[in-house]
Amino acid sequence: MDSQTSQSSQASQSPHTFQVDLRGLVDLLSHHLYSSPKVYLRELLQNAVDAITARRAEQPDAPAAVRLYAEGGTLRVEDSGIGLTESDVHSLLATIGRSSKREDGLQAARSDFLGQFGIGLLACFVVAECIRVVSRSARTPDAAPVEWTATDDGSYTVRTLPHEARPEPGTTVHLVARAGAGEWLTEERVRSLARDFGSLLPYDVRVGDEAIAELPAPWDRTHPSPATRRVALARHCHDLFGFTPLDTIDLNVPLAGVRGVAYVLPSAVSPAQRASHRVHLKGMLLTERAEQLLPDWAFFVRCVLDTDSLRPTASRESLYEDETLAAVREALGERIRSWLTGLAAGDPERLAAFLSVHHLGVKSLARHDNEMLRTMLPWLPFETTDGRLSLEEFALRHPVVHFTRTVEEYRQVAPIASAQGIGVINGGYTYDSELVEALPSVRPGTVVSELDADTVTAHLDAVDPAEELALSGFLMAARAKLDPLGCDVVLRAFHPLSVPALHLDDRAARHEQARAEAEEQADDLWAGILGSLRGSAPRARLVLNHLNPLIRRISSLRDPELIGTATESLYGQALLMAQRPLRPADSALLNRAFIGLLEWATHTEPGKDDLR
């Protein structure tokens, strides 16, 4: 009894083999692993090239030819590679997930192969209902040719053939299109795909009689002069990417096994836009959408290159993120950085043309790289109160480099600061404030200061105390009118005389204003929470220019209602001049002030205070 129980237990623990539903697996490949059915041709080319590589590892003088023939919904692919024996067919073609590159005989040369995942011919079922392989081994020349035939229902047959069926070593693959997929096996489509995938392959690849490979690669071809090479590469870029580049950057990293070019885009793009690059692996196109190949700051170039060191993902349509890719990314970034510094040193005209389009990319790099910032200081343009200048030129003109963090703040203070002799840089654009703050690190002794409303107000001339006291009634009425809007009123004397009023605030004041508005619209609980966050932030201020004739006339008014209307008008005009976005309350104030002025202009009684 114990013996029977033991035997039964052992039987129940016997291992079982997974059963694979080939049709379900093909559906998985076509809808989830591969982006398009076109990859079937890449797999066929890859298998052929790897077979030739394997044969040449043992027979260096062996022929290296791949031929593709498409006709009537069928495709025949012939190669002069290593070939297969009957046992190879059973162990490799019929076992999903096993790659010949893992076999002992090929392990030493594995780094020379394109495919390493053992999916192989399975991808062909995406477009074919039947696959027939006829192969003869170069390793075992006396072995008979073998035929392997498989259908998309998961069944296959294997048989040996007479020697005359395949006189020379190599492999021929026959495909018969599945229903609805015939277009993928037409000669025109096969030729287009073969040219796309295999233009850099090192062997003789032909569709019919037409050669596909275009070696040497465009970046390795010799030209009479640098100018003619630049023209030829520009033509290659236009054919490949559809644009004529501003310039071309060689990407030659021998230690990483990378060669290629980067083409500089002729128009500006968003730094957030992910650039897509074209990558070949040992001559075979791997992907046209490699996004992680370059550092994020190098968004102003598109690359095409060939590599033998980077690792593909299982679908062989993208790059595997590992230490090698990280090292290559850093090395390629260094090549682009060297190109920029080379332009700065020897070709200022080309650099100026580049920066006029892509200054954001260089600024992005310079904010993390002091050497690049030091190199680019004379070239990077910034908006300043003295016009568009480099930081170097601006720092030579002004002992203190003032800047604002937002465009709004710059628009508020720039006209007044400039009239007072204060130089200001607009740091509100992407990366600009960070670069201005980094200036002392590359230009020792430079004083950098953020310009805020308090600093501007401090530079404006105070009004004589006696005159300000005489206008206390007017100022009190004006302050009462703007107090509900969170704005104070102050009187100063400043240039230019044509500016009657200046609206000044800072981020802290705007935050407090936004909090107060939210508190007004919130329910009791939320209003209580917001109320607890109330800070001592400075309020916005409307600075009235005592030197302006209009302000002098308004300040002599005696009618409180008219003073209020005039104050609201000055407040709205100052907001518009600062190009500030208007809140609903501000829009309502402008409308009310406009109507009030119209009413005053049309109903003024003789002898009543007016603005004339």
Side-chain angles (χ1 to χ4, degrees):
M1 186 71 175
D2 292 342
S3 175
Q4 291 178 349
T5 302
S6 176
Q7 291 176 358
S8 175
S9 175
Q10 291 176 359
S12 65
Q13 296 178 6
S14 299
H16 299 278
T17 302
F18 282 104
Q19 300 298 310
V20 177
D21 180 349
L22 187 58
R23 286 179 176 168
L25 189 56
V26 168
D27 181 72
L28 179 66
L29 291 176
S30 61
H31 289 93
H32 299 284
L33 184 63
Y34 297 127
S35 61
S36 166
K38 69 180 182 180
V39 297
Y40 88 92
L41 193 70
R42 185 195 60 202
E43 296 291 343
L44 289 173
L45 285 176
Q46 175 181 289
N47 288 341
V49 169
D50 283 346
I52 293 173
T53 301
R55 184 175 180 184
R56 285 206 155 186
E58 300 179 8
Q59 303 171 19
D61 58 348
V66 181
R67 299 290 183 267
L68 298 92
Y69 304 95
E71 183 179 2
T74 64
L75 175 64
R76 185 173 84 255
V77 182
E78 300 177 353
D79 70 67
S80 58
I82 194 70
L84 301 170
T85 63
E86 184 176 0
S87 62
D88 291 335
V89 166
H90 283 289
S91 63
L92 299 178
L93 297 186
T95 305
I96 297 171
R98 177 174 296 177
S99 171
S100 63
K101 272 64 78 177
R102 299 190 180 96
E103 298 301 300
D104 293 339
L106 304 182
Q107 188 65 38
R110 182 177 177 185
S111 63
D112 295 327
F113 296 107
L114 300 172
Q116 299 175 6
F117 293 94
I119 297 174
L121 286 176
L122 191 62
C124 294
F125 279 120
V126 173
V127 298
E129 65 178 11
C130 178
I131 302 174
R132 184 166 69 93
V133 178
V134 177
S135 188
R136 183 169 182 174
S137 175
R139 283 206 193 93
T140 314
D142 295 336
V146 61
E147 177 190 71
W148 177 83
T149 304
T151 57
D152 60 1
D153 63 1
S155 63
Y156 72 92
T157 60
V158 178
R159 65 183 180 122
T160 57
L161 303 175
H163 284 276
E164 55 269 22
R166 177 85 200 194
E168 298 296 329
T171 300
T172 301
V173 179
H174 302 261
L175 300 186
V176 177
R178 66 167 56 247
E183 62 169 313
W184 292 103
L185 271 62
T186 62
E187 183 176 10
E188 182 180 359
R189 179 62 68 92
V190 168
R191 181 184 296 108
S192 174
L193 293 178
R195 187 181 293 115
D196 200 32
F197 284 119
S199 62
L200 299 184
L201 289 174
Y203 302 134
D204 180 16
V205 181
R206 295 174 183 267
V207 176
D209 296 327
E210 182 178 337
I212 297 302
E214 300 175 355
L215 295 178
W219 49 85
D220 287 330
R221 296 170 191 169
T222 57
H223 297 275
S225 68
T228 56
R229 180 177 187 267
R230 196 155 46 238
V231 170
L233 287 176
R235 188 181 306 113
H236 174 251
C237 175
H238 189 275
D239 293 341
L240 205 60
F241 295 119
F243 65 86
T244 300
L246 278 179
D247 209 344
T248 300
I249 309 169
D250 283 306
L251 300 178
N252 184 12
V253 189
L255 292 178
V258 172
R259 285 192 62 80
V261 289
Y263 294 118
V264 181
L265 292 167
S267 56
V269 294
S270 167
Q273 179 177 327
R274 300 290 292 181
S276 296
H277 310 290
R278 188 177 175 94
V279 178
H280 296 256
L281 179 62
K282 304 179 182 72
M284 181 75 73
L285 177 65
L286 179 70
T287 179
E288 300 173 281
R289 300 186 301 274
E291 295 184 347
Q292 69 272 50
L293 187 64
L294 295 180
D296 290 341
W297 56 260
F299 55 82
F300 50 84
V301 298
R302 295 292 180 271
C303 294
V304 53
L305 54 81
D306 187 29
T307 175
D308 58 16
S309 63
L310 298 179
R311 179 182 169 192
T313 59
S315 67
R316 289 186 286 280
E317 294 187 291
S318 60
L319 297 171
Y320 188 82
E321 185 67 51
D322 57 12
E323 293 180 357
T324 302
L325 178 57
V328 167
R329 181 164 49 235
E330 183 177 349
L332 295 180
E334 183 58 38
R335 293 294 181 275
I336 298 173
R337 183 186 288 108
S338 298
W339 168 78
L340 282 171
T341 55
L343 287 186
D347 201 337
E349 289 186 4
R350 284 170 65 198
L351 178 64
F354 167 75
L355 288 178
S356 68
V357 178
H358 295 298
H359 56 275
L360 273 182
V362 179
K363 287 180 177 180
S364 174
L365 171 59
R367 66 195 176 119
H368 297 304
D369 189 327
N370 281 349
E371 188 59 38
M372 178 58 64
L373 178 58
R374 185 178 292 106
T375 302
M376 291 292 115
L377 269 181
W379 308 102
L380 290 176
F382 289 79
E383 181 181 355
T384 79
T385 49
D386 294 349
R388 290 189 70 79
L389 298 176
S390 69
L391 290 181
E392 176 74 18
E393 189 174 356
F394 187 86
L396 289 173
R397 295 186 181 188
H398 298 279
V400 178
V401 177
H402 291 288
F403 74 98
T404 63
R405 290 195 182 276
T406 69
V407 175
E408 289 180 351
E409 291 171 352
Y410 179 80
R411 288 170 178 166
Q412 287 179 31
V413 304
I416 307 304
S418 180
Q420 311 306 312
I422 305 171
V424 185
I425 296 175
N426 184 356
Y429 296 115
T430 308
Y431 312 132
D432 282 10
S433 62
E434 297 173 71
L435 292 175
V436 175
E437 289 182 298
L439 188 57
S441 66
V442 297
R443 198 177 186 276
T446 303
V447 179
V448 173
S449 174
E450 182 177 354
L451 189 66
D452 55 21
D454 288 334
T455 306
V456 175
T457 305
H459 279 82
L460 304 181
D461 293 335
V463 177
D464 181 84
E467 291 188 56
E468 187 167 5
L469 181 61
L471 299 175
S472 59
F474 163 76
L475 292 175
M476 185 178 301
R479 286 166 182 158
K481 195 66 177 178
L482 295 187
D483 184 68
L485 296 174
C487 183
D488 290 332
V489 177
V490 296
L491 189 65
R492 293 289 187 274
F494 56 87
H495 294 274
L497 298 179
S498 58
V499 177
L502 176 66
H503 182 273
L504 294 177
D505 64 1
D506 54 22
R507 276 159 290 146
R510 288 196 292 275
H511 292 164
E512 173 61 19
Q513 192 176 63
R515 185 208 60 77
E517 290 176 358
E519 182 180 357
E520 290 178 2
Q521 300 173 8
D523 56 33
D524 293 342
L525 175 60
W526 187 237
I529 296 174
L530 290 172
S532 67
L533 299 176
R534 182 183 297 110
S536 57
R539 288 155 58 93
R541 67 203 71 174
L542 182 68
V543 184
L544 303 180
N545 187 0
H546 189 55
L547 300 180
N548 181 269
L550 178 63
I551 295 299
R552 286 185 174 273
R553 290 199 298 271
I554 292 176
S555 63
S556 65
L557 294 174
R558 296 292 179 266
D559 184 347
E561 184 177 345
L562 188 54
I563 290 175
T565 300
T567 302
E568 288 180 331
S569 300
L570 291 170
Y571 174 82
Q573 188 264 353
L575 285 179
L576 293 175
M577 290 297 295
Q579 301 183 48
R580 285 287 309 278
L582 299 180
R583 301 169 296 162
D586 297 329
S587 298
L589 175 145
L590 275 172
N591 184 62
R592 184 170 63 248
F594 178 73
I595 297 299
L597 289 176
L598 285 179
E599 290 180 348
W600 172 83
T602 56
H603 293 89
T604 301
E605 297 177 3
K608 192 172 182 179
D609 289 334
D610 54 37
L611 300 180
R612 291 170 294 179

